[in-house]
Amino acid sequence: MGSVTRASLDQKLALAKRSSHEGVMAGAKAAVVATVAAAVPTLASVRMLPWARTNLNPTAQALIISTAAGMAYFIVADKTVLASARKNSFGASYKADI
């Protein structure tokens, strides 16, 4: 088993930072889409449905919209980081086999 060099650690750190950044960007894009997708029907229903007008105050509306955005962010960011880690893991094992 070979020794770990500073260069290899720096390379792994750079790869991890890039993977994290990709996850954050993908999660942010998904959160924006989810915000719009949740806001339109929520705000429309509050204007059109008497039940929603009575029971969904502005705080409830914001909670519905922000929950959808938060869920989308964390799900997509997690999947992106895991996919990147899987890709890099297979790439490293493939290179080691050659």
Side-chain angles (χ1 to χ4, degrees), residues 10-88:
D10 288 343
Q11 183 180 12
K12 288 181 182 179
L13 181 62
L15 193 60
K17 284 183 179 180
R18 187 176 70 218
S19 175
S20 301
H21 182 71
E22 288 174 6
V24 168
M25 294 305 293
K29 289 176 185 177
V32 168
V33 171
T35 299
V36 173
V40 170
T42 301
L43 297 176
S45 66
V46 169
R47 288 184 177 262
M48 292 184 218
L49 301 174
W51 178 89
R53 185 180 316 215
T54 306
N55 294 314
L56 295 179
N57 62 14
T59 303
Q61 296 170 36
L63 185 62
I64 291 168
I65 296 167
S66 64
T67 301
M71 286 173 38
Y73 174 83
F74 285 110
I75 290 169
V76 172
D78 184 51
K79 285 186 173 221
T80 303
V81 169
L82 288 176
S84 178
R86 189 177 307 113
K87 179 183 71 172
N88 293 331

